[in-house]
Amino acid sequence: EYLLGAMRRFLFAAALLGCAEAFSPSASLPLRAPRAAAVSGAAAAVCAEAAPPSRRNLLQGALGIAAGAVLPSVPLPAAAEGGNTVVMEIDTADGIKGTVEIELMPDVAPKTVAQFKSYVESGLYDGTAFHRVNEFAKKKVLVGGDPYTKEDKFCNDIDTWKGAKTCSNGQGYGPDGWLANGKRGSTDDDKSTRNLWDKGGPAGWRRDGLSQVKLDPEFTAKHERGTICFRRFRKPESAGSQFIINLADMSKEMDGNSAVFGKITKGIELLDRMNSKMVLKSSTALDFPRDDDKFVTTWSAWDRPVARQGISSIKII
């Protein structure tokens, strides 16, 4: 092993000797260096290509190429790739706190995953909340990802047809994290902010055809329990940042019409605990749009949690 290492160092140094002539002021540099099997072979090939064809350079090139044929290869570094594990920190007003991990599926929905990652990296999801916790016929889904659910002020660039900004006041739940209901009162929340829920997204996004944000449909994966998909609206390319987490098998309602891009691998029991009974009425019913002639599933509008179901942060690891 020591001898092999010494040979490699010697051959690499020998190959580099030819570079002195190649990189002189009068020498022209190559536009592209060939990929060689070993470091010594690569260095010699560069020098042989760059320098004038002297006897010395040809000898060094041959020596390096020969070394590359017998010595272990040194792979070039792979291009850096972002991780595909998502960590979601949950912190609700009614005491649910912990970590949910989601494994993304770039092999199934590469464009959708890339879009989701861009929202995560921009911090769009940090400080938001699940604004719908809906259960029907023993099936349950959570809807989140709307930046209007942040407790701080948020503006969407073109949320109105005039192109003007629409801004929330924040404080959709207020400091106490609750909405007034039959069991407790609350006076520190902002109703005008809640009226914007379901309408928020990234800059330039709208729910209609005037949206500047469009996502090519990747409607291939099944909507099994634990999957996460982007929430779409009337048109197939209409998804913004809002997402749906399926806590039941929603294949019948959504397969072929929505883009699954990940699946929960840890912490789904925290989401199961989110109460679908302690809810108030949202502004519209929750439906699951389709592009075929089948019946569009529509669930009740009674799905707005009275306790804030907060998402402290979403990060990629």
Side-chain angles (χ1 to χ4, degrees):
E1 185 175 336
Y2 175 81
L3 180 59
L4 179 62
M7 287 179 60
R8 293 181 66 185
R9 288 191 292 272
F10 168 76
L11 292 172
F12 184 72
L16 288 177
L17 288 176
C19 291
E21 193 174 337
F23 289 97
S24 65
S26 61
S28 60
L29 294 178
L31 295 177
R32 178 178 60 86
R35 299 172 66 95
V39 172
S40 54
V46 170
C47 294
E49 183 175 299
S54 67
R55 180 180 301 176
R56 183 181 182 185
N57 289 335
L58 292 175
L59 177 61
Q60 302 296 349
L63 183 61
I65 293 170
V70 297
L71 295 179
S73 64
V74 179
L76 297 176
E81 294 183 0
N84 288 309
T85 300
V86 172
V87 174
M88 179 185 294
E89 297 295 339
I90 304 296
D91 190 1
T92 75
D94 53 350
I96 303 171
K97 189 171 184 177
T99 301
V100 175
E101 291 188 6
I102 301 169
E103 193 66 24
L104 301 179
M105 302 176 176
D107 55 329
V108 173
K111 294 179 181 178
T112 310
V113 167
Q115 193 87 317
F116 179 75
K117 284 185 174 182
S118 71
Y119 299 149
V120 171
E121 291 165 356
S122 72
L124 187 68
Y125 293 129
D126 295 346
T128 59
F130 290 107
H131 61 285
R132 287 179 178 257
V133 179
N134 204 316
E135 186 171 357
F136 179 77
K138 297 183 179 181
K139 293 189 175 186
K140 183 177 177 182
V141 300
L142 309 177
V143 181
D146 185 336
Y148 279 141
T149 63
K150 294 174 181 277
E151 287 294 286
D152 297 326
K153 179 179 177 179
F154 176 81
C155 296
N156 189 315
D157 288 346
I158 59 163
D159 195 57
T160 66
W161 66 273
K162 295 180 180 179
K165 289 186 177 182
T166 297
C167 298
S168 73
N169 297 321
Q171 305 293 316
Y173 281 92
D176 70 357
W178 290 81
L179 304 179
N181 59 84
K183 293 189 176 182
R184 61 175 294 166
S186 179
T187 59
D188 61 358
D189 48 272
D190 191 297
K191 184 178 180 181
S192 66
T193 291
R194 295 196 299 277
N195 288 339
L196 292 173
W197 291 356
D198 283 329
K199 300 176 183 177
W205 178 81
R206 296 167 48 125
R207 294 186 296 182
D208 58 26
L210 297 179
S211 178
Q212 295 176 5
V213 177
K214 299 182 186 299
L215 180 60
D216 291 341
E218 294 177 313
F219 301 162
T220 56
K222 295 185 68 63
H223 292 70
E224 301 169 343
R225 168 174 161 81
T227 54
I228 180 172
C229 61
F230 270 133
R231 184 185 183 191
R232 57 160 291 190
F233 294 86
R234 178 172 296 181
K235 294 185 177 295
E237 70 277 7
S238 60
S241 62
Q242 294 181 45
F243 56 78
I244 296 174
I245 292 182
N246 300 305
L247 297 178
D249 190 322
M250 293 291 291
S251 298
K252 180 179 178 181
E253 293 83 358
M254 302 176 71
D255 275 5
N257 296 279
S258 179
V260 169
F261 60 87
K263 191 167 186 178
I264 295 172
T265 57
K266 176 184 175 183
I268 195 170
E269 68 280 357
L270 297 173
L271 305 181
D272 286 332
R273 289 169 54 193
M274 292 187 175
N275 196 332
S276 60
K277 307 301 180 187
M278 291 290 292
V279 293
L280 299 176
K281 190 176 182 180
S282 293
S283 56
T284 62
L286 179 64
D287 60 9
F288 304 94
R290 305 185 66 92
D291 301 310
D292 53 25
D293 296 330
K294 293 183 180 180
F295 180 75
V296 174
T297 301
T298 303
W299 289 6
S300 168
W302 288 87
D303 60 2
R304 178 169 293 172
V306 299
R308 190 171 191 272
Q309 306 299 293
I311 301 172
S312 301
S313 66
I314 299 181
K315 305 296 182 187
I316 298 172
I317 59 173

